[in-house]
Structure formats: structure tokens, C-alpha cells
């Protein structure tokens, strides 16, 4: 899979567009969970205005009163066109897609199709905390296969985990790109994963929500594009890349060998997505690429900014700029702040980060910082973190 050059965005960096005062008028989780004296750089919401094509599409829907139930394949068609242009992948068959309420609820529905109550589901820890919550709520059993050196999939550990599953039905919930490390799995790594899954009879469900958010020069490889992944299932969405979490919609995509599984998806699942959400996501994928490219350039600047700030003010923190996502995974173990440094940074520095503990094995002593903010906010966040150590 080759990396597709980004377009000339012709747009300003959206991360520099909004003042902190304006952001504090928002009523979403990021801005209402903590008191106003706390600087929030935690949950995955971006400090950006929406892309103009999205605003136009939603405004037009409001003016038309187009607020009914979702229908049609426009979203899937837009994603297929985006995948072909952005990732060089023309294998996304619109006929093997289904609209689902969001990625995690889609994950639940896919796991229902390929596993049963009590069956194991393997995850690569540390990983997005809702993986644990949703799997357990689904009455499946979480099996960890911790990441290896450099935050990459350890194939030996993964094979050992697969080998201990007992030979019955089992799933592997693959996070690609990986949250929180930002690792982008290579084609060779994914091919090895596929071979192991087939050898041990494990069904792969890939959460690819961060796929559009790669760093310059990094190529995202769709799981279903990998030879041998025909029995895989994928969840994709425009929500992370275009900041549309409040406009619920996602797509489940099946490989050729999983088409029959996807066909068993209950019809009522398609009632869960927001029709306006589908409109917004479709507009983002179809017409929002210049805005996305401006965002990606700003995120790359913020990664470099954060690396420099930590070197100067918090050299004890280990940070490897991510290959994807707008998240920074910070190893704070050398600071002597215990297993939950986020609590210390909040109490002493009045800056809110994600604690590493809910991410599972490998999360202790770490925090996750949201880089989708202005350089001024990133700078202030590091200043507050340093103040917490004074």
C-alpha cells in the first residue's frame, strides 16, 4: 500500500482558529467535566471549527427538514472513493457495508456475529479503554496480548495468546492505527496477524477509526486490503478525523469471506445512526480533504512542539511522536509520580490528561495527551505539568 500525497489544503490550520474563551462555551464532555480552572487536554475532541463542507451539508439538511431515518449508500460510496484516493485501496465493496451507530457499537455488533457469550476476545494492551468496557458488557472475556518494543504488535505474544484460547470461537479486536500509541501497523505486520488468525481460527474485527489521521509520509494499510484477510470485519468512520463524534454514524465493512456474517446483522441496527450524522460524514469524506490536510499539517507541528517542550521542561518524560492519531502517549514513570501521574498533574497543575491505568497492562505510569489543540494550549499544558513537579 503506497502513501498517497496530500493535497494542497489552501486552508488555514484549524487548530489555530479558536480562542480558549470560545472553546469554553462548548458544552461537550471535554469542556464540562472539570472546573474552569482546569485546562482539558484529555478526551478525543478536537479544538477546531468544523470543515465548511460539513457545516453546509448539515445546514442544508436543517433548512430542508431532512432529519428522518438514514437510508442509501452515499456514506459507503464516499468512503470507498476516499479509500481509493487516499490509501490506494479500491477493494472497499459498497455491497459489503452496513451503517452502524458508531464504531464501538459497531464493534459490539460485529463481535456478536462471530463470537458468543463467554468467548474470548484478544486485545493489544495498552489500548483504548472502551475495548475492555464494551467487550465485558457484551459478556465476552478480554484476553490481553501486550504490545512489544516500540509500541508495536508482538507477534510471539499474540500467537501465545491465540494458542491459549482453547480452539473454540474467538475474536481479535485490532486497533489500527493503535490508540493510545499512534502506531500504524505495516502491511507485513498485518499479513502476519492474518496468518496467525487463520491458523488459530480467530476472527479479526478491526477498529480503523483513526485511519485518516496519519503523519506525513506514513502509509495507512486497511486491514481488509491485506491478502488473507478476507474473513475480516472493519469499522470505519469520519468522526475522529473531522471531529464529528456528536453526529453519530459509522460503517461496518466486511471482507469477501465475511459477507455472509455481515448479512446476518439485524435490520434494527441501521436505525441507530443519525441521518444528519450520515450526511455530515459523507460530506467530510467527499469534500473535506483540504480541511483534513490542513489539520494534519497542524498536528505534525504540534508533535514537534510537544517534543521540544518536554525536552526543555520535563526531560524525565519519554515521548515518541506518533505515526497517526492526534494523541500523545507519555511515559512518566521516571518522574516518581506512581501509577497514576494524571491524578498528580490534575491536582497540582490543574491540567486534565487521560490516566494510563484504564488502558490496561502497560498503562501504569503513563498519561495520554490530546494534541488537537492550539500551540498555545499545548504550551500551557506542559507548563502546568512542570508546575506540578515543582
Amino acid at each position: 500500500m503506497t502513501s498517497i500525497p496530500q493535497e494542497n489544503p489552501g486552508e488555514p490550520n484549524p487548530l489555530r482558529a479558536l480562542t480558549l474563551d470560545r472553546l469554553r462555551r462548548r458544552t461537550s464532555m471535554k469542556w464540562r467535566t472539570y472546573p474552569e480552572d482546569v485546562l482539558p487536554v484529555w478526551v478525543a475532541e478536537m479544538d477546531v471549527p468544523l470543515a465548511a463542507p460539513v457545516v453546509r451539508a448539515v445546514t442544508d439538511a436543517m433548512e430542508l427538514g431532512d432529519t428522518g431515518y438514514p437510508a442509501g449508500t452515499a456514506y459507503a460510496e464516499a468512503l470507498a472513493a476516499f479509500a481509493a484516493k487516499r490509501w490506494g485501496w479500491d477493494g472497499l465493496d459498497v455491497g459489503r457495508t452496513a451503517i452502524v451507530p458508531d464504531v464501538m457499537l459497531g464493534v459490539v455488533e460485529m463481535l456478536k456475529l462471530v463470537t458468543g457469550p463467554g468467548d474470548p476476545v484478544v486485545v493489544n494492551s495498552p489500548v483504548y479503554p472502551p475495548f475492555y468496557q464494551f467487550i465485558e458488557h457484551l459478556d465476552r472475556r478480554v484476553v490481553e496480548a501486550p504490545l512489544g518494543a516500540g509500541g508495536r504488535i508482538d507477534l510471539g505474544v499474540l500467537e501465545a495468546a491465540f494458542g491459549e484460547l482453547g480452539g473454540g470461537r474467538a475474536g481479535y479486536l485490532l486497533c489500527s492505527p493503535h490508540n493510545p500509541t499512534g502506531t500504524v501497523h505495516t502491511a507485513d505486520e498485518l499479513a502476519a496477524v492474518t496468518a496467525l488468525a487463520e491458523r488459530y481460527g480467530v476472527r479479526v474485527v478491526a477498529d480503523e477509526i483513526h485511519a485518516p489521521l496519519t503523519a506525513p509520509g506514513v502509509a495507512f494499510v486497511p486491514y481488509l486490503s491485506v491478502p488473507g484477510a478476507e474473513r475480516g470485519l472493519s469499522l470505519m468512520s469520519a468522526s475522529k478525523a473531522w471531529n464529528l463524534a456528536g453526529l453519530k454514524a459509522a460503517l461496518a465493512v466486511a471482507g469477501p469471506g465475511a459477507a455472509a456474517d455481515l448479512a446476518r446483522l439485524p435490520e434494527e441496527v441501521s436505525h441507530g445512526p443519525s441521518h444528519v450524522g450520515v450526511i455530515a460524514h459523507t460530506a467530510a469524506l467527499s469534500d473535506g480533504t483540504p480541511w483534513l490536510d490542513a489539520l494534519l499539517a497542524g498536528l505534525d507541528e504540534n508533535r514537534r512542539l510537544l517534543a521540544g517542550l518536554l525536552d526543555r521542561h520535563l526531560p524525565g518524560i519519554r515521548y515518541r511522536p506518533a505515526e497517526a492519531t492526534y494523541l500523545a502517549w507519555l511515559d512518566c514513570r521516571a518522574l516518581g509520580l506512581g501509577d497514576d501521574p494524571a491524578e498528580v498533574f490534575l491536582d497540582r497543575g490543574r491540567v486534565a490528561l487521560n490516566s494510563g491505568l484504564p488502558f490496561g497492562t502497560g498503562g501504569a505510569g503513563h498519561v495520554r495527551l490530546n494534541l488537537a489543540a492550539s500551540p498555545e494550549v499545548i504550551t500551557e499544558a506542559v507548563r502546568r505539568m512542570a508546575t506540578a513537579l515543582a
Side-chain angles (χ1 to χ4, degrees):
M1 194 67 57
T2 57
S3 179
I4 306 302
Q6 295 179 8
E7 299 176 4
N8 181 0
E11 294 199 18
N13 178 359
L15 296 169
R16 293 178 177 268
L18 302 177
T19 65
L20 192 56
D21 286 344
R22 183 174 177 83
L23 288 165
R24 288 196 181 278
R25 291 167 53 191
R26 293 182 171 181
T27 59
S28 60
M29 182 182 292
K30 182 175 184 179
W31 298 99
R32 288 294 181 266
T33 299
Y34 296 98
E36 282 204 5
D37 68 322
V38 172
L39 185 69
V41 286
W42 63 297
V43 72
E45 298 180 21
M46 292 197 285
D47 297 350
V48 293
L50 292 184
V54 174
V55 175
R56 286 196 299 270
V58 172
T59 300
D60 288 347
M62 295 296 103
E63 291 178 347
L64 188 61
D66 191 7
T67 54
Y69 298 103
T73 59
Y75 189 179
E77 291 167 10
L79 177 59
F82 181 87
K85 184 174 183 180
R86 199 72 171 185
W87 306 319
W89 179 43
D90 60 3
L92 198 161
D93 186 337
V94 171
R96 295 197 304 271
T97 66
I99 300 173
V100 292
D102 60 27
V103 163
M104 282 311 303
L105 290 176
V107 163
V108 166
E109 295 299 335
M110 297 306 103
L111 289 174
K112 284 181 181 178
L113 295 176
V114 298
T115 65
D119 287 341
V121 177
V122 177
V123 302
N124 298 122
S125 58
V127 73
Y128 183 49
F131 275 23
Y132 296 92
Q133 299 160 357
F134 280 77
I135 291 171
E136 291 168 356
H137 183 70
L138 185 59
D139 193 24
R140 272 50 168 182
R141 175 169 55 91
V142 176
V143 175
E144 291 187 323
L147 297 171
R152 310 205 73 86
I153 296 172
D154 187 318
L155 295 171
V157 169
L158 186 64
E159 181 169 15
F162 284 179
E164 295 173 0
L165 297 179
R169 290 186 302 179
Y172 172 36
L173 183 49
L174 172 68
C175 195
S176 179
H178 194 86
N179 176 5
T181 63
T183 303
V184 175
H185 310 306
T186 66
D188 287 345
E189 287 171 329
L190 293 174
V193 163
T194 297
L196 288 175
E198 288 302 300
R199 185 183 310 162
Y200 289 95
V202 176
R203 298 298 299 275
V204 178
V205 176
D207 170 356
E208 299 183 307
I209 196 170
H210 291 276
L213 292 166
T214 51
V218 177
F220 168 72
V221 181
Y223 179 70
L224 297 181
S225 73
V226 177
E230 289 81 7
R231 294 204 309 144
L233 294 156
S234 167
L235 283 307
M236 291 187 169
S237 175
S239 63
K240 282 291 184 288
W242 283 273
N243 205 42
L244 303 176
L247 289 166
K248 293 286 190 180
L251 283 166
V253 186
D261 295 305
L262 190 62
R264 292 187 287 107
L265 187 70
E267 190 270 340
E268 62 267 21
V269 173
S270 67
H271 296 178
S274 160
H275 179 50
V276 177
V278 170
I279 290 170
H281 290 229
T282 302
L285 290 162
S286 298
D287 302 310
T289 301
W291 183 94
L292 175 64
D293 285 338
L295 170 72
L296 295 179
L299 290 174
D300 199 48
E301 292 174 5
N302 280 0
R303 292 186 190 101
R304 294 194 297 271
L305 172 65
L306 178 64
L309 290 169
L310 293 176
D311 282 345
R312 288 194 298 275
H313 303 294
L314 290 165
I317 292 181
R318 294 179 59 191
Y319 166 56
R320 180 186 295 106
E323 297 173 316
T325 80
Y326 50 75
L327 307 168
W329 186 238
L330 308 182
D331 183 348
C332 304
R333 288 175 292 182
L335 300 181
L337 301 179
D339 287 346
D340 193 7
E343 184 177 12
V344 178
F345 291 132
L346 177 61
D347 291 344
R348 299 181 189 172
R350 308 308 287 164
V351 56
L353 305 105
N354 287 99
S355 168
L357 292 175
F359 291 80
T361 299
H366 291 71
V367 299
R368 194 187 73 173
L369 185 149
N370 183 343
L371 281 169
S374 70
E376 292 76 17
V377 166
I378 300 301
T379 301
E380 175 63 11
V382 174
R383 186 195 71 78
R384 293 187 183 207
M385 293 168 69
T387 297
L389 303 184

